[in-house]
Amino acid sequence: MKNQVLLFLLAFCLQVTAQEHLVSGVVTDATNTPIPGVNVIVKGTSKGTQTNFDGQYSIVAQKGQTLVFSFIGFKTLEVKIGESKTVNVQMEEDAQKLDEIVVVGYGIKREKKALGYAVTSVQSPAQIERQKQRSYHQSIAQVLQGTVPGKNIVSNSATPNIKIRGAAAIKKTEVPLYIVDGVPIQKMNNEVIQKLDPSTIDKINIYKGAKARQLFGSSAKDGCIVITTKKGNYQIVNDENYAQITENNFEHVSLNPLSTFSIDVDKASYSNIRRMINNGQDIPVDAVKIEEMVNYFTYQYPQPTEHPFSINTEVVRTPWNKDTKLVRIGLQGKTYLDEELPPSNLTFLIDVSGSMGSANKLPLLKSAFKLLVNQLREKDKVSIVVYAGAAGEVLKPTRGDKKEEIINAIDNLESGGSTAGGAGIELAYSLAERNFIKNGNNRVILATDGDFNVGPSSDKDMEKLIEEKRKTGVFLSVLGFGMGNYKDSKMEKLADKGNGNHAYIDTMQEAQKVFGQEFGGTLYTIAKDVKIQVEFNPAIVKGYRLIGYENRMLEDEDFIDDTKDAGELGSGHTVTALYEIIPIGVDSPYMKPVHDLKYSKNGSSGVSNELLTVKFRYKKPDGDKSIEISHSVDNELNEISSDSSFAAAVALFGLHLRKSQYTNGSNLEDVISLAEKGLKFDKDGYRAEFVRLVKLYPNSL
């Protein structure tokens, strides 16, 4: 009897097995693109599988059974098995629109999230290896295609081979915002793509529609693709931004006897150039601001007596052109001891977005700010505001002698998220206004790499916001950090409009210079809206050229217009400007001929031995009416001093970096020779470092 039962069961199993067969096929979308990771289940059973990278599947099933195909973002599809052992299906997109799709590495995992879904593709080791052998460009396209369901939503001229698939379409003419490890890039170009190895990618978030605009602002109106690498510190190349500079040319004194400009105490350009030379990078021409390079260094100007600054001039033969003269105009701001400075109400506004995660950004920033905290006195107070996806207060107003409490707040800062710069500035100014100290130093200190992609983010928006906020009497200092996505143009704009200064911190040495040696100048303004106007004597000067200051030029009538904004001078700050002038009677290839003017007063100045007169206007820090002073310069050549030699060397190096037409056949050896003659006053070694950089520069390219 037992044998009969066994025979019956064997026969039954053979019969069932005979009815089952291997069903296989390919699952595609409406565009006939294979869909990997689709769940294929025999309805009413526990049998199931998933499609591979090429959308292929195989499953054992019987004729008459139903296969159920399901995948996030698509309508579930049921197909009854017929005679054929091949069942190809085309899935239809679900009408429901997903706001976010998260792509996470490799594996087998599906997880529903609040905003969308986490989806991973399934690939065999052979397929992964095959994928790695292809170009980086194609590999990223496959990673994106292979892990996100739907039809192509991105395919534009900037990324012709990348097709990201999701639930909603972005037109081909639209350009999404890319953010790689927190660093926004408006256009993901081939160079960036080729440096992104798919094996380094941890996850990819795709935001669309209202969600993208809500999180990332107007810059993400075409959607936003957020790529996070496993190390989280990917460096974007060639995404730095500098305002275009058109070099000053020689002007005819007979046509334009006045030269008017705002002072510039910013020094960011020099430290930024130093960083690039040390890293062996090419230096963008517009990153070179000669006035900021010259003003990085201090000069032996005497302390003022009557006004907040002393006026100093020197006329020498131009070291690189024997036919012209070089005029150096120098201002020396009054230096105050730290204990003489008024109480400070400081609000640290710190960017903690994802783009600040690398070592030369937030970690360096923390160390730099600790140097500043060590300078604070009991009468000072500090607040800390941070911003990333949103802005928030992390330290309420705290007395300067509570250093441990302030430093702990700084140490606890971590990076992550997008960059709501506008919201952060609003909150910081609001906090500074609430704690305003009358007759004190009220200042917001912004530390960032300059990326703003949430809220008001365009230069125009930020300029308008800062101009409005400066009316409160709160000044602004802007400190730049990092590389790869450094936004110099935006940083400078903020500082200019906020009655403040702009510095770039590339090392702890620079942090010590800004927050240690130049503490007063960085934080305490002694004169604001400082303007310079030079009038040249047409009897002696044929032409002139201001070296640098291209983005600080003013209209001549702006000089006496107290509504026109200009630069601020801090305690102990020096400002140096250089003019190259062509004397009357000298034929110069740099001067284009002009027709004689019938009513020109050329040659009848009335003061035969005056080369020029320089006028200055400034306001007191809390004043609205300007004060004017003037200083005349005689037409006498001097032996070049150590300071003038060094200033000329820095300017000449800047001309070479800018590929200027006015280098007059000089070379870098001339720069080094001039600089070495100017090493007499080099207490802190900054001038010697300059010589080292010039020597390194040809070898760094």
Side-chain angles (χ1 to χ4, degrees):
M1 183 68 182
K2 185 181 294 186
N3 290 337
Q4 289 178 334
V5 171
L6 290 174
L7 289 172
F8 173 79
L9 290 174
L10 179 60
F12 177 79
C13 290
L14 290 173
Q15 183 180 5
V16 170
T17 304
Q19 293 175 349
E20 291 182 335
H21 53 264
L22 189 66
V23 179
S24 60
V26 178
V27 181
T28 61
D29 63 12
T31 64
N32 290 320
T33 302
I35 308 175
V38 176
N39 288 319
V40 184
I41 299 174
V42 178
K43 190 173 183 179
T45 73
S46 60
K47 294 180 181 179
T49 187
Q50 287 184 323
T51 57
N52 64 15
F53 189 80
D54 299 313
Q56 300 171 344
Y57 75 95
S58 296
I59 192 168
V60 175
Q62 300 178 27
K63 176 183 174 182
Q65 288 185 313
T66 299
L67 297 181
V68 180
F69 299 84
S70 63
F71 197 63
I72 297 167
F74 290 84
K75 292 181 179 179
T76 299
L77 180 65
E78 295 187 3
V79 179
K80 191 172 184 178
I81 301 173
E83 295 291 340
S84 176
K85 296 182 181 179
T86 300
V87 179
N88 297 324
V89 298
Q90 188 175 77
M91 299 188 71
E92 181 183 352
E93 253 191 354
D94 198 331
Q96 181 182 7
K97 184 175 181 179
L98 301 181
D99 280 327
E100 176 191 4
I101 298 172
V102 184
V103 181
V104 187
Y106 298 111
I108 304 176
K109 176 182 178 182
R110 288 190 304 282
E111 176 185 356
K112 186 170 182 177
K113 292 193 173 183
L115 296 176
Y117 297 86
V119 184
T120 63
S121 65
V122 180
Q123 298 185 47
S124 67
Q127 290 169 327
I128 294 174
E129 183 60 32
R130 185 175 70 237
Q131 178 176 322
K132 288 182 178 179
Q133 298 302 318
R134 300 174 184 174
S135 70
Y136 286 148
H137 194 207
Q138 292 173 330
S139 294
I140 288 186
Q142 289 172 349
V143 169
L144 298 177
Q145 281 183 316
T147 53
V148 186
K151 63 184 180 182
N152 299 333
I153 66 167
V154 177
S155 179
N156 55 61
S157 57
T159 57
N161 295 326
I162 285 192
K163 296 180 179 179
I164 302 174
R165 305 189 304 167
I170 292 179
K171 297 176 182 178
K172 291 185 178 182
T173 57
E174 295 177 342
V175 180
L177 171 69
Y178 288 82
I179 298 179
V180 183
D181 286 342
V183 179
I185 316 169
Q186 193 61 49
K187 291 185 178 180
M188 180 71 94
N189 57 42
N190 288 345
E191 184 175 6
V192 174
I193 291 171
Q194 289 168 359
K195 291 181 180 295
L196 265 175
D197 185 339
S199 65
T200 68
I201 294 176
D202 180 38
K203 65 179 180 179
I204 300 171
N205 296 57
I206 303 173
Y207 299 85
K208 299 178 290 297
K211 179 60 66 176
R213 292 189 294 274
Q214 175 188 347
L215 293 177
F216 304 101
S218 59
S219 58
K221 62 182 177 62
D222 295 339
C224 183
I225 299 166
V226 181
I227 300 174
T228 304
T229 65
K230 294 174 182 177
K231 291 186 177 180
N233 61 351
Y234 179 74
Q235 294 294 324
I236 305 300
V237 294
N238 295 331
D239 198 44
E240 297 185 357
N241 187 270
Y242 302 94
Q244 184 175 354
I245 295 175
T246 301
E247 185 176 37
N248 288 332
N249 294 315
F250 278 96
E251 300 285 348
H252 286 269
V253 174
S254 59
L255 300 178
N256 300 293
L258 297 177
S259 173
T260 309
F261 64 98
S262 163
I263 68 163
D264 184 6
V265 297
D266 294 345
K267 305 172 182 182
S269 181
Y270 179 78
S271 51
N272 189 33
I273 288 169
R274 176 179 61 199
R275 179 260 299 180
M276 288 187 270
I277 292 176
N278 284 331
N279 290 343
Q281 297 174 242
D282 289 332
I283 300 174
V285 168
D286 290 328
V288 181
K289 300 173 200 168
I290 296 177
E291 71 279 4
E292 293 189 14
M293 295 177 65
V294 172
N295 285 321
Y296 181 85
F297 303 92
T298 57
Y299 302 94
Q300 304 306 301
Y301 299 137
Q303 282 291 307
T305 54
E306 180 182 357
H307 296 281
F309 50 85
S310 66
I311 302 169
N312 309 274
T313 56
E314 184 177 355
V315 182
V316 300
R317 184 80 63 192
T318 305
W320 59 87
N321 190 338
K322 63 182 179 58
D323 295 326
T324 65
K325 297 177 181 180
L326 191 67
V327 180
R328 178 168 65 109
I329 301 172
L331 303 181
Q332 171 66 61
K334 185 175 181 179
T335 301
Y336 291 88
L337 298 175
D338 289 351
E339 55 267 24
E340 296 177 308
L341 297 175
S344 292
N345 163 36
L346 305 178
T347 303
F348 298 167
L349 175 56
I350 300 177
D351 181 353
V352 293
S353 63
S355 66
M356 292 291 291
S358 53
N360 61 356
K361 294 187 181 181
L362 188 58
L364 176 60
L365 182 156
K366 290 181 179 182
S367 299
F369 269 78
K370 290 175 186 177
L371 292 175
L372 174 55
V373 172
N374 288 332
Q375 303 281 332
L376 298 177
R377 304 153 300 178
E378 181 180 350
K379 63 181 179 180
D380 301 323
K381 56 184 176 182
V382 170
S383 309
I384 300 179
V385 171
V386 298
Y387 65 93
E393 179 183 340
V394 298
L395 181 70
K396 63 183 181 180
T398 303
R399 282 206 327 256
D401 60 338
K402 295 187 176 181
K403 295 182 177 15
E404 185 176 353
E405 185 176 340
I406 301 171
I407 289 175
N408 284 340
I410 293 172
D411 279 335
N412 289 332
L413 299 179
E414 295 182 356
S415 63
S418 55
T419 317
I425 288 173
E426 292 270 15
L427 179 58
Y429 270 98
S430 175
L431 195 58
E433 290 170 44
R434 291 201 302 270
N435 297 281
F436 194 87
I437 299 176
K438 188 176 181 180
N439 299 322
N441 172 34
N442 299 278
R443 184 176 297 266
V444 171
I445 303 177
L446 168 62
T448 177
D449 56 14
D451 266 327
F452 302 110
N453 52 61
V454 178
S457 58
S458 70
D459 285 0
K460 188 173 182 180
D461 288 338
M462 300 303 289
E463 179 180 340
K464 183 178 179 180
L465 175 63
I466 294 299
E467 283 182 330
E468 188 65 30
K469 293 299 183 182
R470 77 179 181 209
K471 297 176 184 177
T472 64
V474 178
F475 286 40
L476 175 70
S477 290
V478 182
L479 305 177
F481 290 83
M483 58 185 180
N485 64 315
Y486 178 59
K487 299 296 182 286
D488 177 85
S489 60
K490 186 166 290 187
M491 309 275 278
E492 183 180 38
K493 181 75 69 177
L494 294 179
D496 290 349
K497 299 305 177 183
N499 281 352
N501 51 325
H502 169 211
Y504 175 79
I505 297 180
D506 58 335
T507 61
M508 277 302 292
Q509 171 188 313
E510 186 64 18
Q512 176 61 37
K513 185 175 188 289
V514 172
F515 285 144
Q517 299 165 356
E518 300 174 357
F519 173 75
T522 301
L523 300 182
Y524 181 53
T525 297
I526 60 174
K528 70 178 182 180
D529 291 338
V530 184
K531 305 170 188 174
I532 299 177
Q533 186 171 78
V534 180
E535 181 181 357
F536 294 91
N537 183 355
I540 296 176
V541 182
K542 179 179 181 179
Y544 65 87
R545 189 177 87 85
L546 177 60
I547 301 176
Y549 290 93
E550 285 87 358
N551 57 0
R552 303 286 178 156
M553 302 303 294
L554 298 173
E555 298 296 331
D556 293 336
E557 56 268 28
D558 292 342
F559 183 68
I560 60 174
D561 185 351
D562 284 348
T563 66
K564 293 294 183 180
D565 183 53
E568 280 60 49
L569 188 68
S571 168
H573 267 164
T574 61
V575 177
T576 299
L578 299 173
Y579 278 96
E580 185 177 2
I581 63 174
I582 300 173
I584 287 289
V586 173
D587 291 328
S588 171
Y590 302 133
M591 293 285 289
K592 296 181 180 179
V594 294
H595 197 277
D596 290 338
L597 302 180
K598 181 178 180 180
Y599 301 107
S600 171
K601 294 183 180 180
N602 186 22
S604 58
S605 68
V607 186
S608 61
N609 197 45
E610 284 188 3
L611 186 70
L612 58 88
T613 296
V614 56
K615 299 177 183 179
F616 304 85
R617 273 188 176 258
Y618 72 93
K619 298 175 188 171
K620 294 181 179 180
D622 56 352
D624 295 320
K625 187 173 178 58
S626 64
I627 301 167
E628 182 177 318
I629 55 178
S630 65
H631 178 83
S632 297
V633 180
D634 290 336
N635 183 31
E636 296 179 359
L637 278 176
N638 300 283
E639 287 293 326
I640 191 167
S641 65
S642 175
D643 273 352
S644 282
S645 182
F646 189 80
V650 178
L652 183 57
F653 186 47
L655 293 177
H656 279 281
L657 294 179
R658 287 196 55 79
K659 300 177 175 57
S660 169
Q661 61 176 312
Y662 299 116
T663 54
N664 199 45
S666 61
N667 55 45
L668 294 186
E669 290 300 323
D670 297 319
V671 173
I672 294 169
S673 176
L674 275 172
E676 288 178 338
K677 293 174 183 176
L679 295 180
K680 181 179 179 181
F681 304 105
D682 191 28
K683 176 183 176 183
D684 299 304
Y686 294 116
R687 294 188 180 190
E689 180 192 48
F690 171 78
V691 174
R692 179 189 66 80
L693 287 176
V694 178
K695 291 179 178 179
L696 176 64
Y697 174 66
N699 299 321
S700 67
L701 299 181

